[in-house]
Coordinates of all heavy atoms in Angstrom, one line a residue:
M1 N 5.2 -5.9 14.5 CA 5.0 -5.0 13.3 C 5.6 -5.7 12.1 O 6.7 -6.1 12.1 CB 5.5 -3.6 13.5 CG 5.4 -2.7 12.3 SD 6.3 -1.1 12.6 CE 4.8 -0.2 12.9
T2 N 4.9 -5.6 11.0 CA 5.4 -6.1 9.7 C 6.4 -5.2 9.2 O 6.2 -3.9 9.1 CB 4.2 -6.2 8.7 OG1 3.3 -7.1 9.3 CG2 4.7 -6.9 7.4
S3 N 7.7 -5.6 8.7 CA 8.6 -4.7 8.1 C 8.1 -4.3 6.9 O 7.5 -5.0 6.1 CB 10.0 -5.4 8.2 OG 10.2 -6.1 7.0
T4 N 8.6 -3.1 6.5 CA 8.2 -2.5 5.1 C 8.8 -3.4 4.1 O 8.1 -3.4 3.0 CB 8.7 -1.1 5.0 OG1 10.0 -1.0 5.3 CG2 7.8 -0.2 5.9
S5 N 9.9 -4.1 4.2 CA 10.4 -4.9 3.2 C 9.5 -6.1 2.8 O 9.5 -6.6 1.8 CB 11.8 -5.5 3.5 OG 11.7 -6.4 4.7
R6 N 8.5 -6.4 3.7 CA 7.6 -7.5 3.5 C 6.2 -6.9 2.9 O 5.3 -7.6 2.9 CB 7.4 -8.4 4.8 CG 8.7 -9.2 4.9 CD 8.4 -10.2 6.0 NE 8.7 -9.6 7.2 CZ 8.4 -10.1 8.5 NH1 7.6 -11.2 8.5 NH2 8.7 -9.6 9.6
V7 N 6.2 -5.7 2.9 CA 4.9 -4.9 2.5 C 5.0 -4.4 1.2 O 4.1 -4.5 0.4 CB 4.6 -3.8 3.6 CG1 3.4 -3.0 3.1 CG2 4.4 -4.5 4.9
V8 N 6.2 -3.8 0.8 CA 6.2 -3.1 -0.4 C 7.3 -3.8 -1.4 O 8.3 -4.3 -0.9 CB 6.9 -1.6 -0.2 CG1 7.0 -0.9 -1.5 CG2 5.8 -0.9 0.6
H9 N 6.9 -3.9 -2.6 CA 7.7 -4.5 -3.6 C 7.7 -3.7 -4.8 O 6.7 -3.1 -5.3 CB 7.2 -6.0 -4.0 CG 8.0 -6.7 -4.9 ND1 9.3 -7.1 -4.7 CD2 7.6 -6.9 -6.2 CE1 9.7 -7.8 -5.8 NE2 8.8 -7.7 -6.8
S10 N 8.9 -3.6 -5.6 CA 9.0 -2.9 -6.8 C 9.8 -3.8 -7.8 O 10.8 -4.3 -7.4 CB 9.8 -1.6 -6.6 OG 9.8 -0.8 -7.9
D11 N 9.2 -4.0 -8.9 CA 9.8 -4.8 -10.0 C 9.4 -4.2 -11.3 O 8.2 -4.0 -11.6 CB 9.2 -6.2 -9.9 CG 9.7 -7.3 -10.9 OD1 10.0 -6.9 -11.9 OD2 9.6 -8.5 -10.5
P12 N 10.4 -4.1 -12.1 CA 10.1 -3.4 -13.4 C 9.1 -4.2 -14.3 O 8.4 -3.6 -15.1 CB 11.5 -3.4 -14.2 CG 12.5 -3.8 -13.2 CD 11.7 -4.4 -12.0
D13 N 8.9 -5.5 -14.1 CA 7.9 -6.3 -14.8 C 6.5 -6.2 -14.2 O 5.6 -6.8 -14.8 CB 8.3 -7.8 -14.9 CG 9.6 -8.0 -15.5 OD1 9.9 -7.2 -16.5 OD2 10.4 -8.9 -15.2
I14 N 6.4 -5.5 -13.0 CA 5.1 -5.4 -12.4 C 4.8 -3.9 -12.4 O 5.3 -3.0 -11.7 CB 5.0 -5.9 -11.0 CG1 5.2 -7.3 -11.0 CG2 3.6 -5.7 -10.3 CD1 5.5 -8.0 -9.6
L15 N 3.8 -3.4 -13.2 CA 3.3 -2.0 -13.3 C 4.5 -1.1 -13.6 O 4.5 0.0 -13.0 CB 2.5 -1.7 -12.1 CG 1.3 -2.4 -11.8 CD1 0.6 -1.9 -10.6 CD2 0.3 -2.2 -12.9
G16 N 5.5 -1.5 -14.3 CA 6.6 -0.7 -14.8 C 7.5 -0.3 -13.5 O 8.2 0.8 -13.6
G17 N 7.5 -1.1 -12.5 CA 8.4 -0.8 -11.3 C 7.6 0.0 -10.2 O 8.2 0.4 -9.2
T18 N 6.3 0.4 -10.4 CA 5.6 1.2 -9.4 C 5.5 0.2 -8.1 O 5.3 -0.9 -8.1 CB 4.1 1.3 -9.9 OG1 4.1 2.1 -11.1 CG2 3.3 2.0 -8.9
P19 N 5.8 0.9 -7.0 CA 5.8 0.2 -5.7 C 4.4 -0.3 -5.4 O 3.4 0.4 -5.6 CB 6.3 1.2 -4.6 CG 7.0 2.2 -5.4 CD 6.3 2.3 -6.8
V20 N 4.4 -1.6 -5.2 CA 3.1 -2.3 -5.0 C 3.1 -3.1 -3.6 O 4.2 -3.3 -3.1 CB 2.7 -3.3 -6.1 CG1 2.5 -2.6 -7.4 CG2 3.6 -4.4 -6.2
F21 N 2.0 -3.4 -3.0 CA 2.0 -4.3 -2.0 C 2.4 -5.6 -2.3 O 2.1 -6.2 -3.4 CB 0.5 -4.6 -1.3 CG 0.0 -3.2 -0.6 CD1 -0.8 -2.4 -1.3 CD2 0.3 -3.0 0.7 CE1 -1.2 -1.2 -0.6 CE2 -0.2 -1.9 1.4 CZ -0.8 -1.0 0.7
V22 N 3.3 -6.3 -1.7 CA 3.9 -7.6 -1.8 C 2.7 -8.7 -2.2 O 1.8 -8.7 -1.5 CB 4.8 -8.1 -0.7 CG1 5.1 -9.6 -0.9 CG2 6.0 -7.2 -0.5
G23 N 2.9 -9.5 -3.2 CA 1.9 -10.4 -3.6 C 0.7 -9.9 -4.3 O -0.2 -10.7 -4.5
T24 N 0.7 -8.7 -4.6 CA -0.4 -8.1 -5.4 C 0.1 -7.2 -6.6 O 1.3 -7.0 -6.6 CB -1.3 -7.2 -4.4 OG1 -0.6 -5.9 -4.2 CG2 -1.6 -7.8 -3.0
R25 N -0.8 -6.6 -7.2 CA -0.5 -5.6 -8.2 C -1.2 -4.3 -7.8 O -1.5 -3.4 -8.6 CB -1.1 -6.0 -9.6 CG -0.3 -7.3 -10.1 CD -0.8 -7.7 -11.4 NE -0.5 -6.8 -12.5 CZ 0.6 -6.8 -13.2 NH1 1.6 -7.7 -12.9 NH2 0.7 -6.0 -14.1
V26 N -1.4 -4.1 -6.5 CA -2.1 -3.0 -6.0 C -0.9 -1.9 -5.6 O -0.2 -2.2 -4.7 CB -2.9 -3.2 -4.7 CG1 -3.6 -2.0 -4.2 CG2 -4.0 -4.2 -5.2
P27 N -0.9 -0.8 -6.3 CA 0.1 0.3 -6.0 C -0.1 0.7 -4.4 O -1.2 1.0 -4.1 CB -0.1 1.3 -7.0 CG -0.8 0.7 -8.1 CD -1.7 -0.4 -7.4
I28 N 1.0 1.0 -3.8 CA 0.8 1.5 -2.4 C 0.2 2.9 -2.4 O -0.6 3.3 -1.5 CB 2.3 1.5 -1.6 CG1 3.2 2.4 -2.4 CG2 2.7 0.1 -1.5 CD1 4.5 2.6 -1.6
K29 N 0.5 3.6 -3.5 CA -0.2 5.0 -3.6 C -1.6 5.0 -3.5 O -2.3 5.9 -3.1 CB 0.3 5.7 -4.8 CG -0.1 7.1 -4.9 CD 0.6 7.9 -6.1 CE 0.3 9.3 -6.1 NZ -1.0 9.8 -5.6
T30 N -2.3 3.8 -4.0 CA -3.7 3.6 -4.0 C -4.2 3.9 -2.6 O -5.2 4.5 -2.4 CB -4.2 2.4 -4.5 OG1 -3.6 2.3 -5.9 CG2 -5.7 2.2 -4.8
L31 N -3.6 3.2 -1.5 CA -4.1 3.3 -0.2 C -4.0 4.7 0.3 O -5.0 5.2 0.8 CB -3.2 2.5 0.7 CG -3.5 2.7 2.2 CD1 -4.9 2.4 2.6 CD2 -2.5 1.9 3.1
L32 N -2.9 5.4 -0.1 CA -2.8 6.8 0.4 C -3.8 7.7 -0.3 O -4.4 8.6 0.4 CB -1.3 7.2 0.1 CG -0.2 6.5 0.9 CD1 1.2 7.0 0.4 CD2 -0.4 6.4 2.3
D33 N -4.1 7.5 -1.6 CA -5.1 8.1 -2.3 C -6.5 8.0 -1.6 O -7.3 8.9 -1.5 CB -5.2 7.7 -3.7 CG -4.0 8.3 -4.6 OD1 -3.2 9.1 -4.1 OD2 -3.9 7.7 -5.6
Y34 N -6.8 6.7 -1.3 CA -8.1 6.5 -0.5 C -8.1 7.2 0.7 O -9.2 7.9 1.0 CB -8.1 4.9 -0.3 CG -9.0 4.2 -1.4 CD1 -8.5 4.0 -2.5 CD2 -10.2 3.6 -0.9 CE1 -9.2 3.3 -3.5 CE2 -10.9 2.9 -1.8 CZ -10.4 2.8 -3.1 OH -11.1 2.0 -4.0
L35 N -7.1 7.2 1.6 CA -7.2 7.8 2.8 C -7.2 9.4 2.6 O -7.9 10.0 3.4 CB -6.0 7.4 3.7 CG -5.8 5.9 4.1 CD1 -4.7 5.5 4.8 CD2 -7.1 5.5 4.9
E36 N -6.5 9.9 1.7 CA -6.5 11.3 1.5 C -7.8 11.8 1.0 O -8.3 12.9 1.4 CB -5.4 11.6 0.4 CG -5.4 13.2 0.1 CD -4.2 13.4 -0.9 OE1 -3.1 13.2 -0.6 OE2 -4.5 13.9 -2.0
A37 N -8.6 10.9 0.4 CA -10.0 11.3 -0.1 C -11.0 11.1 0.9 O -12.2 11.5 0.7 CB -10.3 10.3 -1.3
G38 N -10.6 10.7 2.1 CA -11.5 10.5 3.2 C -12.1 9.2 3.3 O -13.0 9.0 4.1
D39 N -11.7 8.2 2.5 CA -12.3 6.9 2.6 C -11.6 6.2 3.8 O -10.4 6.4 4.2 CB -11.9 6.2 1.3 CG -12.6 6.6 0.1 OD1 -13.8 7.1 0.3 OD2 -12.1 6.7 -1.0
S40 N -12.3 5.2 4.2 CA -11.7 4.4 5.4 C -10.8 3.3 5.0 O -10.7 2.9 3.8 CB -12.8 3.9 6.3 OG -13.6 2.8 5.5
L41 N -10.0 2.9 5.9 CA -9.2 1.7 5.6 C -10.0 0.5 5.4 O -9.6 -0.3 4.4 CB -8.2 1.5 6.9 CG -7.2 0.2 6.8 CD1 -6.3 0.4 5.6 CD2 -6.5 -0.1 8.0
D42 N -11.1 0.3 6.0 CA -12.0 -0.9 5.7 C -12.5 -0.7 4.4 O -12.6 -1.9 3.6 CB -13.2 -0.9 6.7 CG -12.7 -1.4 8.1 OD1 -11.7 -2.1 8.1 OD2 -13.4 -1.0 9.0
E43 N -12.9 0.4 3.8 CA -13.2 0.6 2.5 C -12.3 0.1 1.4 O -12.5 -0.6 0.5 CB -13.8 2.0 2.2 CG -14.4 2.1 0.8 CD -15.1 3.4 0.7 OE1 -15.1 4.2 1.6 OE2 -15.7 3.7 -0.4
F44 N -11.0 0.6 1.6 CA -9.9 0.2 0.8 C -9.8 -1.3 0.8 O -9.6 -1.9 -0.3 CB -8.6 0.9 1.3 CG -7.3 0.4 0.6 CD1 -7.0 0.8 -0.7 CD2 -6.6 -0.6 1.3 CE1 -5.9 0.4 -1.3 CE2 -5.4 -1.0 0.6 CZ -5.1 -0.7 -0.6
L45 N -9.7 -1.9 1.9 CA -9.5 -3.4 2.1 C -10.7 -4.1 1.4 O -10.4 -5.1 0.8 CB -9.4 -3.8 3.6 CG -8.1 -3.2 4.2 CD1 -8.2 -3.5 5.7 CD2 -6.8 -3.8 3.5
D46 N -11.9 -3.6 1.5 CA -13.0 -4.1 0.7 C -12.8 -4.1 -0.8 O -13.2 -5.2 -1.5 CB -14.3 -3.6 1.1 CG -14.8 -3.8 2.5 OD1 -14.3 -4.8 3.1 OD2 -15.7 -3.1 3.0
H47 N -12.2 -3.1 -1.2 CA -12.0 -2.9 -2.7 C -10.9 -3.7 -3.2 O -10.7 -4.0 -4.4 CB -12.0 -1.5 -3.1 CG -13.2 -0.7 -2.9 ND1 -13.4 0.6 -2.9 CD2 -14.4 -1.2 -2.8 CE1 -14.6 1.0 -2.7 NE2 -15.3 -0.1 -2.7
F48 N -9.9 -3.9 -2.3 CA -8.6 -4.6 -2.6 C -8.3 -5.7 -1.6 O -7.5 -5.6 -0.8 CB -7.4 -3.7 -2.6 CG -7.7 -2.5 -3.6 CD1 -8.2 -1.3 -3.3 CD2 -7.2 -2.6 -5.0 CE1 -8.4 -0.2 -4.2 CE2 -7.5 -1.6 -5.9 CZ -8.1 -0.4 -5.5
P49 N -9.1 -6.8 -1.8 CA -9.0 -7.9 -0.9 C -7.6 -8.6 -0.9 O -7.4 -9.3 0.1 CB -10.2 -8.8 -1.3 CG -10.5 -8.6 -2.5 CD -10.1 -7.0 -2.9
S50 N -6.8 -8.5 -1.9 CA -5.5 -9.1 -2.0 C -4.6 -8.5 -1.0 O -3.5 -9.1 -0.7 CB -5.0 -9.1 -3.4 OG -4.8 -7.8 -3.9
V51 N -4.8 -7.2 -0.5 CA -4.1 -6.5 0.5 C -4.5 -6.9 1.9 O -5.7 -6.8 2.2 CB -4.1 -5.0 0.3 CG1 -3.3 -4.3 1.4 CG2 -3.6 -4.6 -1.1
S52 N -3.6 -7.4 2.7 CA -4.0 -7.8 4.0 C -4.1 -6.5 4.9 O -3.4 -5.6 4.7 CB -3.0 -8.7 4.7 OG -1.8 -8.1 4.9
P53 N -4.9 -6.6 6.0 CA -5.0 -5.4 7.0 C -3.5 -5.1 7.4 O -3.2 -4.0 7.7 CB -5.9 -5.9 8.1 CG -6.8 -6.9 7.3 CD -5.9 -7.6 6.3
E54 N -2.8 -6.3 7.8 CA -1.5 -6.1 8.3 C -0.6 -5.2 7.3 O 0.2 -4.4 7.8 CB -0.9 -7.4 8.7 CG -1.5 -8.2 9.9 CD -2.8 -8.8 9.3 OE1 -3.0 -9.1 8.1 OE2 -3.5 -9.3 10.3
Q55 N -0.7 -5.5 6.1 CA 0.1 -4.9 5.1 C -0.3 -3.3 5.1 O 0.7 -2.5 5.0 CB 0.0 -5.4 3.7 CG 0.6 -6.7 3.5 CD 0.3 -7.4 2.1 OE1 -0.9 -7.4 1.7 NE2 1.3 -7.5 1.4
A56 N -1.6 -3.0 4.9 CA -2.1 -1.7 4.9 C -1.7 -0.9 6.2 O -1.2 0.2 6.0 CB -3.6 -1.7 4.6
I57 N -1.8 -1.5 7.3 CA -1.3 -0.8 8.6 C 0.0 -0.6 8.7 O 0.5 0.5 9.0 CB -1.9 -1.6 9.8 CG1 -3.5 -1.5 9.8 CG2 -1.3 -1.0 11.1 CD1 -4.1 -2.5 10.7
A58 N 0.9 -1.6 8.3 CA 2.3 -1.3 8.3 C 2.8 -0.2 7.3 O 3.6 0.6 7.7 CB 3.1 -2.7 7.9
L59 N 2.1 -0.2 6.1 CA 2.4 1.0 5.2 C 2.0 2.2 5.8 O 2.8 3.2 5.8 CB 1.8 0.8 3.8 CG 2.0 1.8 2.8 CD1 3.5 1.8 2.5 CD2 1.1 1.8 1.7
W60 N 0.9 2.3 6.3 CA 0.3 3.6 7.0 C 1.3 4.0 8.0 O 1.7 5.1 8.1 CB -1.1 3.4 7.4 CG -1.7 4.6 8.1 CD1 -1.9 4.9 9.4 CD2 -1.9 5.9 7.5 NE1 -2.2 6.1 9.7 CE2 -2.3 6.8 8.5 CE3 -1.9 6.3 6.1 CZ2 -2.7 8.1 8.2 CZ3 -2.2 7.6 5.8 CH2 -2.6 8.4 6.9
N61 N 1.6 3.0 8.9 CA 2.6 3.4 10.0 C 3.9 3.9 9.5 O 4.6 4.7 10.2 CB 2.7 2.2 10.9 CG 1.5 1.9 11.7 OD1 0.7 2.9 12.0 ND2 1.4 0.8 12.3
N62 N 4.4 3.6 8.3 CA 5.6 4.0 7.8 C 5.5 4.9 6.5 O 6.5 5.1 5.8 CB 6.4 2.7 7.5 CG 6.8 1.9 8.6 OD1 7.7 2.4 9.4 ND2 6.2 0.7 8.8
S63 N 4.3 5.4 6.4 CA 4.1 6.2 5.1 C 5.0 7.4 4.9 O 5.4 7.8 3.9 CB 2.7 6.6 5.0 OG 2.3 7.6 5.9
I64 N 5.4 8.0 6.1 CA 6.3 9.1 6.0 C 7.7 8.8 5.4 O 8.2 9.6 4.6 CB 6.6 9.8 7.4 CG1 5.4 10.3 7.9 CG2 7.8 10.8 7.4 CD1 5.3 10.9 9.4
L65 N 8.1 7.5 5.5 CA 9.3 7.1 4.9 C 9.2 7.1 3.3 O 10.2 7.2 2.6 CB 9.8 5.6 5.4 CG 10.0 5.6 6.9 CD1 10.1 4.0 7.1 CD2 11.2 6.3 7.3
F66 N 8.0 6.9 2.8 CA 7.9 6.8 1.4 C 7.3 8.1 0.8 O 7.2 8.1 -0.5 CB 6.9 5.6 1.1 CG 7.4 4.4 1.6 CD1 6.9 3.8 2.7 CD2 8.4 3.7 0.9 CE1 7.3 2.5 3.2 CE2 8.8 2.4 1.2 CZ 8.3 1.8 2.4
D67 N 7.2 9.1 1.4 CA 6.4 10.3 1.0 C 7.1 10.8 -0.3 O 6.4 11.2 -1.2 CB 6.5 11.4 2.1 CG 5.5 12.6 1.6 OD1 4.4 12.2 1.1 OD2 5.9 13.6 1.9
D68 N 8.4 10.8 -0.5 CA 9.0 11.4 -1.5 C 9.1 10.4 -2.7 O 9.4 10.7 -3.9 CB 10.5 11.7 -1.3 CG 10.5 13.1 -0.3 OD1 9.5 13.8 -0.3 OD2 11.5 13.2 0.4
E69 N 8.9 9.0 -2.4 CA 9.1 8.0 -3.3 C 7.9 7.7 -4.0 O 7.8 7.0 -5.1 CB 9.7 6.7 -2.7 CG 11.0 7.0 -2.1 CD 11.5 5.7 -1.4 OE1 11.1 4.7 -1.7 OE2 12.3 5.9 -0.4
I70 N 6.6 8.1 -3.5 CA 5.3 7.7 -4.1 C 4.9 8.5 -5.2 O 5.1 9.7 -5.2 CB 4.3 7.6 -3.0 CG1 4.7 6.7 -1.8 CG2 2.9 7.3 -3.5 CD1 3.9 6.7 -0.7

């Protein structure tokens, strides 16, 4: 399993410190918004190809940890 430290990054110079997937400018909240709207993981990955499936799955598996931070 990919550790969350290799999945999520926050930097004040990237989207004002919004947590994003490492190596991208894609906010982690975007994945949760897609899933909450009923979209599939594949649809999210098609729309955001810079996010790897491993990153998205690792975030999903650990999303409870970030619930209050997102």
Side-chain angles (χ1 to χ4, degrees):
M1 174 185 258
T2 304
S3 88
T4 54
S5 65
R6 290 189 269 165
V7 174
V8 178
H9 178 71
S10 181
D11 181 328
D13 293 330
I14 301 173
L15 297 176
T18 299
V20 297
F21 287 96
V22 169
T24 77
R25 295 178 70 83
V26 179
I28 60 171
K29 187 170 183 334
T30 303
L31 170 60
L32 301 178
D33 289 345
Y34 263 68
L35 297 174
E36 184 176 293
D39 296 320
S40 69
L41 179 59
D42 287 335
E43 187 169 359
F44 169 81
L45 293 170
D46 286 344
H47 291 164
F48 298 96
S50 61
V51 178
S52 73
E54 294 81 12
Q55 287 177 306
I57 291 167
L59 178 67
W60 178 250
N61 286 338
N62 292 292
S63 64
I64 292 172
L65 298 175
F66 298 103
D67 192 38
D68 292 336
E69 298 176 27
I70 298 175

